[in-house]
Amino acid sequence: MPSYTAPVKDMQFLLHDVLMVSDADVPGYADLDQGFTSAVLEEAGKVASDVLAPLNAVGDREGCVLENGVVRTPKGFDAAFKAMKEGGWTALDCDPEYGGQGLPYLMGTAVGEIFVSANMAFNMYQGLTHGAYSAIHTHGTAEQKAKYLPKMVSCDWTGTMNLTEPHCGTDLGLMRTKAEPQADGSYKITGQKIFISAGEHDLAENIIHLVLAKAPGGGEGTKGISLFIVPKFLVNDDGSLGARNSLSCGKIEEKMGIHGNATCVMNYDGATGWLLGDLHKGMRAMFTMMNEARLGVGLQGYAQAEAAYQNALAYAKDRLQGRAVTGTENPDGPADPLIVHPDIRRNLMDQKSFVEGARALTFWAAHLIDRSVRQGDAAAEGLVSLMIPVIKGFQTDKGFDMAVAAQQVYGGHGYIEEWGMSQFARDARIAMIYEGANGVQALDLVGRKLTQDGGKHVMAFFDMVKAECKAHDEDARMKGFTDALKVASKQLQQAGMFFMQQGMKNPNAALSGSYDFMHLMGHVCLGLMWTRMAKAAYAALDAGAGDKDFYESKIATGRYYMARQLPACAMHLARIETGSETVMALSAEAF
């Protein structure tokens, strides 16, 4: 069975050497000293290793079962969920007014990674609840917040988001679910939603569904959509549970992965719901959940790769196969361990350099969200909005690739279920699809985010990269990082110029290159993160910090990324500059 150990040392490095959180001017960050963050992460790591990771294979093997309208979760999930609640892990970064601990979003992100790596399907029950909590916290009335949030913070009640319908996925303007206004101010919700993660289960007393539906007078398309709170059980004025609402789980989808999470078809048959936010402005309220969810899904991409990498590394050190080409390295054994072979090293370095770079990018984005929310920093909000499709799309694509690469280290054993490596790949695969398929993320990046607010956010990003490179002009040790980053950044800017020159007269020219642009930008982002991590590692070594091996390994891993991964930017640029001619050459009938 695969095992998992929280990468606390690497997380501490990011928090204190790279982001220097306790010195940051963000409200709440002053409390994040090394002792405190270490205690939180170490304790989360124990929960992950001792409670969640052992249930990962159980959830994959058993899945969820629908019995008489109730979904039964896998053996051990109920006890684990109670342990999570009792430990306060569901309330970590929630508002203290509603029972939360009030820690920064960054800390919630770090702990979230640990739990996702240990058991992604299990963590989705509380992760989706957090998204629903955020939407109600941001857009709900005082009465709604008082009624629902305390129980959602504690996860006595969980939450969902209901967008997709059988005939429409991304194109929500085609939605058919209806909301009919009632005399008492409530609405009757009628329709069917599909792919609803944690839509029904036995882990909580109540499930608070947030449902997109069309109310009268909204017009066509997404402009007519509103968002509604539709609880599984109606809630009385005193907070107690009342009658069962007119909604049900019609079936559980059979999926490639995340078997431990119930993916439901939800039927709403005149269910009672209440408007959340403004009428016909449901998309705005839902995107409070979507942006948080997309960062969380980007995290899932590298978190699954982290778990897969840890096990592939252990296997490569233990499995004896062949002899090192440069001479025997294990003379007392019949063969040398796999890790002596250059191609295995390449494979592991691909995984390690991606995971550590993606973690840095995600932590930085979470820091930007804290700056935006806690300080009202509009520049930070604009920058993280630009980054969200890159984090979601690039990191889940590469995270899946790395989970497959980890499986490859095992050879045939990676394909055998008893070793558990296929689960990481199967679970990671969904992250490329849900919360907006990655092709849609690329379209969002090129079609909306690059030009948002007159393009000032992408220009701010380019200025940030330029400033980072310039800051190290006097440090010869950084040349391998800054030279590579300069080249990649220029290639990204060149791709952007191509879109500007070609996009207006031929929109297909831009959209045909959008996926490559998302990956090109993803590589530049990780290149920026590796430059910052190298700077921090050199600074620690110069200061005589302990654990010299850790910092030297960090620098070596960064050099690998800059030399072996960042050159992919040239390939992506070359593809972009071919335009749309070859992409659109065939008629639909010729395929």
Side-chain angles (χ1 to χ4, degrees):
M1 180 186 295
S3 61
Y4 170 74
T5 302
V8 174
K9 184 180 291 185
D10 199 58
M11 291 180 168
Q12 286 286 85
F13 168 71
L14 290 176
L15 293 174
H16 299 287
D17 293 79
V18 179
L19 294 173
M20 294 183 282
V21 290
S22 40
D23 296 329
D25 58 352
V26 180
Y29 273 37
D31 298 328
L32 303 182
D33 59 63
Q34 293 208 31
F36 177 76
T37 58
S38 176
V40 172
L41 298 176
E42 291 282 0
E43 195 60 34
K46 291 177 185 176
V47 174
S49 297
D50 299 342
V51 179
L52 302 186
L55 293 175
N56 200 34
V58 174
D60 186 52
R61 185 172 58 251
E62 292 186 6
C64 297
V65 179
L66 179 62
E67 296 178 344
N68 300 319
V70 177
V71 170
R72 305 299 179 191
T73 51
K75 183 171 61 181
F77 271 42
D78 184 54
F81 202 68
K82 288 176 182 175
M84 294 290 283
K85 294 194 299 180
E86 290 169 1
W89 297 109
T90 64
L92 205 66
D93 60 346
C94 296
D95 190 340
E97 184 176 347
Y98 304 103
Q101 297 178 40
L103 291 182
Y105 182 71
L106 175 57
M107 286 303 297
T109 299
V111 169
E113 179 199 323
I114 293 172
F115 293 157
V116 169
S117 287
N119 195 324
M120 177 171 157
F122 175 90
N123 193 67
M124 288 171 64
Y125 291 100
Q126 68 190 50
L128 288 159
T129 304
H130 193 286
Y133 153 87
S134 295
I136 296 174
H137 189 268
T138 302
H139 300 284
T141 64
E143 180 185 7
Q144 288 172 336
K145 288 190 270 192
K147 177 176 281 191
Y148 298 108
L149 294 189
K151 291 287 191 178
M152 295 177 74
V153 166
S154 67
C155 271
D156 290 333
W157 301 348
T158 58
T160 70
M161 49 199 301
N162 286 235
L163 292 80
T164 308
E165 300 185 6
H167 59 283
C168 71
T170 301
D171 191 355
L172 293 175
L174 299 175
M175 186 177 298
R176 294 174 184 161
T177 299
K178 299 295 184 184
E180 293 295 333
Q182 306 298 300
D184 63 357
S186 67
Y187 288 77
K188 293 297 182 185
I189 311 298
T190 302
Q192 185 178 79
K193 299 290 184 175
I194 63 171
F195 305 155
I196 309 307
S197 299
E200 168 60 37
H201 57 82
D202 57 1
L203 301 178
E205 301 167 353
N206 201 4
I207 302 174
I208 310 304
H209 299 286
L210 298 192
V211 183
L212 286 177
K214 288 190 173 182
E220 297 298 316
T222 58
K223 293 180 180 179
I225 294 174
S226 301
L227 184 62
F228 299 90
I229 298 173
V230 189
K232 175 181 174 180
F233 289 97
L234 301 177
V235 181
N236 298 320
D237 291 339
D238 63 359
S240 62
L241 296 183
R244 172 72 186 252
N245 211 345
S246 300
L247 59 91
S248 62
C249 173
K251 65 175 286 193
I252 301 176
E253 302 290 359
E254 294 186 23
K255 311 183 296 292
M256 176 179 176
I258 54 169
H259 296 152
N261 193 273
T263 303
C264 302
V265 174
M266 296 301 299
N267 297 315
Y268 294 89
D269 302 307
T272 301
W274 288 267
L275 182 68
L276 177 60
D278 296 328
L279 188 64
H280 308 316
K281 303 292 185 183
M283 293 303 293
R284 182 175 64 184
M286 182 59 82
F287 269 99
T288 299
M289 297 172 68
M290 289 298 288
N291 283 332
E292 178 181 311
R294 285 171 176 172
L295 186 136
V297 172
L299 180 150
Q300 287 178 339
Y302 82 81
Q304 287 300 287
E306 166 69 36
Y309 165 72
Q310 287 188 17
N311 288 277
L313 175 61
Y315 187 84
K317 289 181 176 180
D318 182 67
R319 176 75 167 176
L320 302 181
Q321 291 280 281
R323 291 293 188 188
V325 69
T326 53
T328 298
E329 295 197 19
N330 179 32
D332 296 329
D336 290 330
L338 279 172
I339 201 166
V340 306
H341 302 301
D343 192 60
I344 294 293
R345 292 289 189 98
R346 173 204 58 78
N347 187 326
L348 293 170
M349 287 295 285
D350 281 349
Q351 296 174 56
K352 179 177 172 64
S353 63
F354 163 73
V355 167
E356 293 179 13
R359 176 179 297 121
L361 180 59
T362 303
F363 279 28
W364 178 55
H367 166 69
L368 290 176
I369 289 175
D370 279 332
R371 296 195 76 89
S372 168
V373 173
R374 291 174 173 247
Q375 282 188 313
D377 187 334
E381 182 179 5
L383 192 55
V384 79
S385 179
L386 173 70
M387 293 295 157
I388 287 293
V390 179
I391 289 170
K392 196 281 183 187
F394 175 73
Q395 289 187 181
T396 57
D397 277 354
K398 301 300 287 187
F400 174 73
D401 288 347
M402 294 305 115
V404 171
Q407 191 180 19
Q408 187 75 11
V409 171
Y410 282 70
H413 290 299
Y415 201 66
I416 302 299
E417 288 297 333
E418 71 177 276
W419 288 85
M421 294 304 289
S422 77
Q423 185 184 353
F424 296 123
R426 289 185 286 103
D427 286 357
R429 185 63 183 88
I430 185 56
M432 302 162 72
I433 299 172
Y434 63 11
E435 309 304 347
N438 286 356
V440 175
Q441 301 301 319
L443 296 179
D444 179 47
L445 175 63
V446 171
R448 293 179 61 243
K449 298 300 175 62
L450 291 184
T451 57
Q452 191 172 10
D453 295 329
K456 73 176 184 180
H457 304 302
V458 72
M459 295 308 298
F461 175 73
F462 288 136
D463 288 343
M464 185 180 296
V465 173
K466 183 178 180 180
E468 188 67 48
C469 292
K470 189 173 179 59
H472 309 301
D473 282 347
E474 305 303 317
D475 191 345
R477 299 174 300 181
M478 292 292 296
K479 186 173 174 58
F481 290 89
T482 56
D483 284 356
L485 184 56
K486 286 175 186 176
V487 170
S489 180
K490 287 178 181 177
Q491 290 165 336
L492 182 62
Q493 292 178 65
Q494 189 174 333
M497 287 299 297
F498 176 83
F499 290 156
M500 288 181 63
Q501 293 165 358
Q502 301 292 324
M504 292 298 291
K505 57 185 178 183
N506 181 14
N508 282 341
L511 299 185
S512 295
S514 60
Y515 212 92
D516 279 286
F517 188 89
M518 180 178 71
H519 274 252
L520 201 169
M521 190 165 180
H523 280 298
V524 172
C525 286
L526 262 61
L528 174 62
M529 294 300 109
W530 273 115
T531 302
R532 289 178 174 176
M533 286 190 281
K535 174 183 68 174
Y538 278 124
L541 290 171
D542 291 344
D547 207 345
K548 179 182 176 183
D549 289 347
F550 172 83
Y551 293 112
E552 289 181 344
S553 295
K554 184 64 67 175
I555 293 164
T557 305
R559 284 178 178 154
Y560 179 90
Y561 193 88
M562 305 307 274
R564 300 279 302 211
Q565 295 297 321
L566 214 54
C569 293
M571 174 193 70
H572 291 299
L573 175 61
R575 289 174 174 175
I576 289 167
E577 290 184 332
T578 63
S580 62
E581 182 179 351
T582 56
V583 174
M584 306 299 292
L586 294 182
S587 66
E589 292 73 25
F591 277 90

